C-alpha cells in the first residue's frame, strides 16, 4: 500500500491520507480539501471511497468540498458517529468560531472485517475520544490508522461532546490485546507516523 500524507497547516491541524493499492484508491480522514490534494487525486485512476476515523471538525472539514467534486464517492463513518459529523454541536466546530456539519448522506460501518472495492480491512471500534471513534487495520499491507484515539506517544482528548475518559481507557486495553506485526506502520490523526514496535516501546498508554 502506498500512503501519501497531506498535513493541514491551519490552526487545527490534521493528517489526510490518500492510499493506493492494486485493488483501489481511498482516503482516510478528509480534514481539509485543497488544490494540492485534488491535483494528486487526478493522478489516480479513481477515488473509490473515504474512511473516517471519527467526526470531529478537524477531520471532516474537507468533506463537503470533496463531495461537490466527487459526488459518487461514498464516505464511511462508524455507525454511532454519524450524528457527530452531521451536528455542529457535537463535532466541536464551535471552537473555530463557525458551525460546520457534513451536508450529504454518509455510509455506516460496524466493527469487524470489511471488504470495499475488493480491499480487505478491519474496523476496530475504539470509543472514548468520541462515541464512534474507530481504527482501520489493513493486516495484509501492515498498515494501521488510529485516528485520534492514539496519537504518537499520547492519546486523544475526551472533554469534547461524546468523549468519555473511562471509555477511552477501555479502548486502549482492547487495543493492547490485539496482535499486530511489529513492522506495521501506524498512521495517526496528528503528528508523525512510525511502526508498531516503536509505538509499543514509546507510548506509555499501550501495554
Amino acid at each position: 500500500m502506498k500512503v501519501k500524507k497531506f498535513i493541514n497547516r491551519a490552526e487545527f491541524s490534521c493528517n489526510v491520507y490518500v492510499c493506493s493499492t492494486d485493488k483501489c484508491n481511498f482516503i482516510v480522514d478528509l480534514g481539509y480539501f485543497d488544490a494540492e490534494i485534488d491535483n494528486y487525486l487526478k493522478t489516480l485512476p479513481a477515488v473509490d471511497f473515504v474512511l473516517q476515523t471519527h467526526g470531529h471538525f478537524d477531520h471532516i472539514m474537507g468533506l463537503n468540498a470533496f463531495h461537490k467534486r466527487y459526488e459518487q464517492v461514498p464516505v464511511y463513518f462508524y455507525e454511532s458517529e454519524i450524528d457527530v459529523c452531521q451536528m455542529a454541536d457535537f463535532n466541536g466546530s464551535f471552537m473555530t468560531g463557525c458551525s460546520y456539519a457534513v451536508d450529504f448522506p454518509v455510509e455506516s460501518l460496524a466493527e469487524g472485517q470489511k471488504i470495499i472495492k475488493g480491499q480487505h480491512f478491519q474496523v476496530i471500534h475504539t470509543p472514548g475520544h468520541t462515541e464512534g471513534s474507530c481504527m482501520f487495520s489493513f493486516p495484509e499491507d501492515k498498515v494501521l490508522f488510529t485516528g485520534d484515539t492514539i496519537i504518537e506517544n499520547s492519546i486523544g482528548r475526551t472533554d469534547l461532546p461524546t468523549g468519555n475518559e473511562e471509555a477511552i481507557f477501555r479502548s486502549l486495553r482492547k487495543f493492547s490485546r490485539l496482535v499486530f506485526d511489529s513492522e506495521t506502520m501506524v498512521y495517526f490523526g496528528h503528528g508523525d507516523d512510525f511502526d508498531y514496535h516503536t509505538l509499543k516501546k514509546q507510548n506509555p498508554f499501550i501495554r
Side-chain angles (χ1 to χ4, degrees):
M1 181 186 294
K2 177 182 178 181
V3 180
K4 172 72 171 177
K5 178 165 71 174
F6 297 86
I7 303 174
N8 189 352
R9 304 298 182 182
E11 180 179 1
F12 295 94
S13 66
C14 72
N15 295 332
V16 176
Y17 299 103
V18 180
C19 309
S20 301
T21 72
D22 58 358
K23 301 180 180 69
C24 62
N25 303 292
F26 61 94
I27 303 170
V28 179
D29 283 353
L30 254 175
Y32 76 110
F33 182 66
D34 64 2
E36 183 185 14
I37 295 176
D38 195 26
N39 287 337
Y40 181 76
L41 297 182
K42 290 174 183 176
T43 70
L44 305 177
V47 182
D48 294 293
F49 56 93
V50 177
L51 299 176
Q52 292 287 145
T53 61
H54 65 293
H56 276 162
F57 72 95
D58 55 331
H59 286 249
I60 66 173
M61 289 187 73
L63 285 174
N64 290 342
F66 172 83
H67 181 70
K68 291 179 181 178
R69 176 73 174 81
Y70 299 92
E71 185 176 359
Q72 76 284 0
V73 178
V75 176
Y76 293 89
F77 283 83
Y78 196 79
E79 56 191 359
S80 58
E81 192 71 356
I82 293 177
D83 283 347
V84 175
C85 78
Q86 294 181 336
M87 298 179 65
D89 288 345
F90 282 179
N91 64 38
S93 58
F94 59 86
M95 297 173 64
T96 69
C98 71
S99 179
Y100 182 91
V102 175
D103 62 8
F104 60 91
V106 299
E107 306 293 330
S108 66
L109 288 171
E111 185 158 27
Q113 300 291 333
K114 306 297 173 188
I115 304 175
I116 301 178
K117 296 292 184 176
Q119 180 66 53
H120 293 247
F121 64 98
Q122 183 178 8
V123 179
I124 306 167
H125 185 210
T126 54
H129 183 60
T130 63
E131 180 180 352
S133 287
C134 66
M135 301 182 184
F136 301 112
S137 173
F138 297 77
E140 295 178 4
D141 299 285
K142 298 182 182 180
V143 168
L144 172 68
F145 298 96
T146 66
D148 285 1
T149 299
I150 300 171
I151 306 173
E152 294 186 316
N153 301 326
S154 188
I155 60 175
R157 61 191 296 177
T158 59
D159 59 334
L160 293 177
T162 81
N164 185 293
E165 184 176 4
E166 291 183 6
I168 201 169
F169 281 104
R170 286 195 299 269
S171 293
L172 293 169
R173 290 192 293 271
K174 172 183 176 178
F175 178 82
S176 295
R177 293 192 295 269
L178 300 177
V179 177
F180 299 93
D181 188 288
S182 63
E183 296 180 354
T184 295
M185 287 302 301
V186 186
Y187 296 95
F188 309 102
H190 307 267
D192 295 328
D193 46 87
F194 43 74
D195 61 35
Y196 180 72
H197 173 77
T198 303
L199 176 68
K200 290 281 285 185
K201 183 179 180 181
Q202 296 187 3
N203 192 309
F205 297 94
I206 307 301
R207 294 289 181 261

